[in-house]
Amino acid sequence: MSGDGSWRRVSREGRRFLRGRYRSLRRLALWSLLESAHTFLGGYAVARALDDGFLAGRTGTGLGWLAVAGAGALLGALALRGVFGGLADLVEPLRDGLVRRSVRQAIERAVADPGRAGDAGAVSRLTQQTEMARDSFAGLVLVARSFVFTALGALLGLAALDPVLLVLVLPALLLGTAGFLATLRPMARVQRAALDADEALSGRAGELAAGLRDVVACGGGASAGAPVERLIAEQERLTGRLARWSALRTLALGVAGRLPVVALLAGTPWLLGRGVSAGAVAGALTYLVQSLLPALDALMTAVGAAGTRLLVVLDRFCTHQSDSAAATTAPEVAPGVGAGPGVAVELRGVWFAYGPRAQPVIDGLDLTVGAGEHLAVVGPSGIGKSTLTALIAGLLPPGGGTVRVAGAPAQGVTGPGPDLRRTLLPQQAYVFTGTVRENLTHLCPGPVSGAELERATAALGSDGLVDRLGGLDGAVDPARLSPGERQHLALTAAYLSPAPLLLLDEATCHLDLRTEERAERALATRPGTLVVVAHRISSAARADRVLVLDGTRAVCGTHAELPARSPLYRDLVGLWNARG
């Protein structure tokens, strides 16, 4: 993280936030002025009580000045009460704004990249980091305001007692403060890295929790847990670095908080020799011990902990906002998109197992799917159909062999956007809160005309659903849609996608027979290749070829010839016919 870049981003956002809150700031400043008066009276009254009262033999005068100091303490308590009343006017709007921004960023990322819709880092920003920013901001405002006005009162008091007192006090204060400021930027970098590791660990743990049963059942615990162990080790390393910088910061606090007192006491003979009164020295000591040094210690602690944390958290919100904006731009065209006739998908000797000691789900599979072909994949539940689509989609790396899409490795394309060579529709259709138009066009890198949308909805038979939702600009609430309606919208989005390869992993399982047939026929006539994981034999009967997965054996052929070649397919067809 660039410290200067972070500071510029956060300061720009901070000025924008404070620009409309001058009334709250004025209220805080006015109450804080009472703290300056309280601080000034505390040391000055002690000096006058000694010089003009007790040391001069006038006890009543001394007690009167101590009463003035007591009245100043009451004044300070009144000021603190008013300060807390105005603090909420700054803190709560900040938290509310961060919550809104976090939600907006999560939505933008989910729309731009459906694969990140379950990003657990967004949960960390919405809960932990917004509360961290709120508490840090409140503490920082409270102590910074207190230090500014306390230091104002204390320095004015020292100057009023005798300006030479500043000669002893200020150098030690400035030395400790300079050492403290030198630790801020390194600590900010370490805390930023710690938050990155925290979000990564949260996201990885969320991914594992979703499929923990399958991971354990397939013996993949060691390989799945290795990245988590690395993230935990990284957090441990960063915690150690933070501890070392904290030790240096503590040393700087000691210099700033203790050295001025030592300098004042050691220089007392010199001060008395220059005509400074004993009351002035006692008043200066009061300023240091009761006001200036406690305020400085609180400020450094707040800036070193809460301030650095606030800078890092706010910078993350600013950075994520720019990342989200960048994620919504059109991705570059992936290699292989728009390739001419030939091979769409090629698997050679593909082997895959969920764990080093697990039985292979796919073993030595050879398969070629031509460009423009319609292939159906059938087999019992858990046989590896979804695994096969994940391998073709590049979501899983093969344990052995090669998987190529449009002539390039299935996992060979990287970039900020989706791989435009293929579109995968899983059984749980992805539909998000937004307009119908946004749900239908989120797989398209560019704008889609209204005429194209109407043709697509008519072809898929989803025009009635679109009308019920209020048209293309109607609002979509995923919770109000049935699974079949969600699949209908997702299939229409896939129809509009420019990807030359469509992978449907039981993406029509919630549709009735007639709607499923209409959708599959429409997708088959769309330019490109269609691979369907079929849950009904009727889907296989409409395909050009059918791939039957039976254990680690695979048979591929047409619907007409497969009953003679595959006992499993013959049984599936017989069962389907028996059910009518």
Side-chain angles (χ1 to χ4, degrees):
M1 177 188 69
S2 169
D4 294 336
S6 299
W7 172 250
R8 284 194 297 269
R9 282 191 295 268
V10 174
S11 61
R12 183 172 58 249
E13 294 287 336
R15 289 193 300 270
R16 185 182 305 168
F17 172 75
L18 295 174
R19 194 171 295 135
R21 292 172 175 82
Y22 288 136
R23 177 178 296 181
S24 299
L25 294 174
R26 284 195 302 268
R27 181 182 176 187
L28 281 176
L30 290 175
W31 282 111
S32 299
L33 280 175
L34 292 180
E35 280 197 72
S36 295
H38 153 60
T39 303
F40 179 86
L41 289 175
Y44 191 81
V46 168
R48 295 281 68 82
L50 286 174
D51 289 339
D52 301 339
F54 300 119
L55 295 178
R58 293 189 289 270
T59 305
T61 301
L63 292 175
W65 277 111
L66 291 181
V68 171
L74 294 176
L75 194 64
L78 178 64
L80 193 60
R81 178 183 177 185
V83 163
F84 275 101
L87 187 63
D89 294 338
L90 288 177
V91 173
E92 297 306 325
L94 174 73
R95 179 189 178 278
D96 294 343
L98 292 179
V99 168
R100 287 192 293 269
R101 176 172 293 190
S102 178
V103 172
R104 183 172 65 249
Q105 290 169 1
I107 293 174
E108 289 172 352
R109 282 175 170 266
V111 171
D113 187 356
R116 293 177 59 90
D119 182 14
V123 179
S124 175
R125 288 188 292 277
L126 181 62
T127 55
Q128 178 186 2
Q129 295 182 32
T130 54
E131 290 302 321
M132 187 186 299
R134 174 185 179 274
D135 295 342
S136 300
F137 181 64
L140 192 61
V141 169
L142 193 62
V143 299
R145 172 212 54 80
S146 177
F147 172 76
V148 168
F149 289 94
T150 298
L152 177 64
L155 295 177
L156 287 176
L158 288 170
L161 293 175
D162 198 315
V164 74
L165 293 169
L166 296 174
V167 176
L168 287 177
V169 171
L170 280 180
L173 284 173
L174 294 177
L175 177 63
T177 303
F180 167 76
L181 293 176
T183 66
L184 290 182
R185 183 174 296 180
M187 286 194 71
R189 284 197 292 265
V190 176
Q191 286 200 338
R192 171 64 185 261
L195 276 179
D196 285 337
D198 177 72
E199 285 194 6
L201 181 60
S202 177
R204 183 62 180 172
E207 293 173 359
L208 285 178
L212 191 58
R213 182 184 62 182
D214 294 336
V215 170
V216 174
C218 297
S223 59
V228 175
E229 293 178 358
R230 287 194 295 269
L231 289 172
I232 293 174
E234 176 69 6
Q235 282 194 322
E236 181 181 2
R237 183 183 69 84
L238 293 172
T239 301
R241 289 184 60 189
L242 275 176
R244 290 190 291 272
W245 282 110
S246 297
L248 292 176
R249 189 190 69 194
T250 302
L251 178 61
L253 287 174
V255 172
R258 302 294 178 264
L259 194 57
V261 176
V262 174
L264 180 63
L265 294 176
T268 297
W270 178 76
L271 291 171
L272 294 176
R274 292 181 57 88
V276 179
S277 67
V281 173
L285 191 62
T286 301
Y287 280 130
L288 289 177
V289 174
Q290 291 189 357
S291 300
L292 188 59
L293 296 185
L296 179 63
D297 183 76
L299 176 68
M300 287 188 172
T301 302
V303 172
T308 305
R309 191 163 56 240
L310 179 64
L311 173 65
V312 171
V313 171
L314 293 182
D315 180 56
R316 291 192 65 73
F317 278 96
C318 298
T319 304
H320 277 290
Q321 184 182 36
S322 61
D323 290 347
S324 297
T328 59
T329 59
E332 297 180 359
V333 176
V337 174
V343 176
V345 178
E346 183 179 22
L347 288 81
R348 288 290 174 261
V350 173
W351 176 92
F352 183 84
Y354 288 97
R357 290 180 295 274
Q359 290 295 320
V361 180
I362 294 176
D363 191 5
L365 177 62
D366 293 321
L367 176 67
T368 300
V369 183
E373 187 177 6
H374 178 184
L375 176 74
V377 182
V378 300
S381 178
I383 203 66
K385 302 186 296 295
S386 295
T387 301
L388 175 62
T389 58
L391 289 166
I392 297 174
L395 301 180
L396 292 175
T402 59
V403 181
R404 304 181 71 83
V405 174
Q411 291 191 309
V413 175
T414 59
D419 186 347
L420 294 187
R421 293 178 299 171
R422 64 268 176 121
T423 290
L424 170 65
L425 265 66
Q427 181 177 352
Q428 301 300 324
Y430 175 70
V431 179
F432 53 88
T433 301
T435 66
V436 173
R437 187 189 305 273
E438 290 167 341
N439 273 273
L440 297 184
T441 61
H442 70 276
L443 297 175
C444 302
V448 181
S449 67
E452 291 179 87
L453 289 170
E454 291 178 2
R455 284 195 296 270
T457 56
L460 272 292
S462 57
D463 43 3
L465 173 59
V466 171
D467 290 339
R468 290 197 304 275
L469 293 174
L472 294 175
D473 295 318
V476 173
D477 181 0
R480 290 180 167 272
L481 297 180
S482 68
E485 290 172 330
R486 290 196 291 269
Q487 284 190 337
H488 219 165
L489 289 178
L491 289 166
T492 308
Y495 181 88
L496 288 164
S497 166
L501 172 62
L502 287 186
L503 302 167
L504 307 185
D505 186 4
E506 297 196 12
T508 60
C509 63
H510 296 297
L511 302 181
D512 59 73
L513 287 173
R514 183 175 299 177
T515 305
E516 177 188 62
E517 179 180 1
R518 181 172 182 174
E520 287 186 358
R521 290 191 184 279
L523 293 171
T525 59
R526 170 188 174 277
T529 305
L530 178 64
V531 176
V532 179
V533 173
H535 66 287
R536 296 185 180 112
I537 292 299
S538 56
S539 294
R542 289 189 289 269
D544 298 327
R545 285 192 302 157
V546 181
L547 174 67
V548 184
L549 296 181
D550 184 4
T552 56
R553 297 169 49 247
V555 182
C556 193
T558 65
H559 172 68
E561 66 188 27
L562 276 176
R565 297 177 51 196
S566 168
L568 173 61
Y569 194 75
R570 183 169 59 250
D571 292 342
L572 292 175
V573 172
L575 180 62
W576 175 260
N577 291 333
R579 291 177 176 175

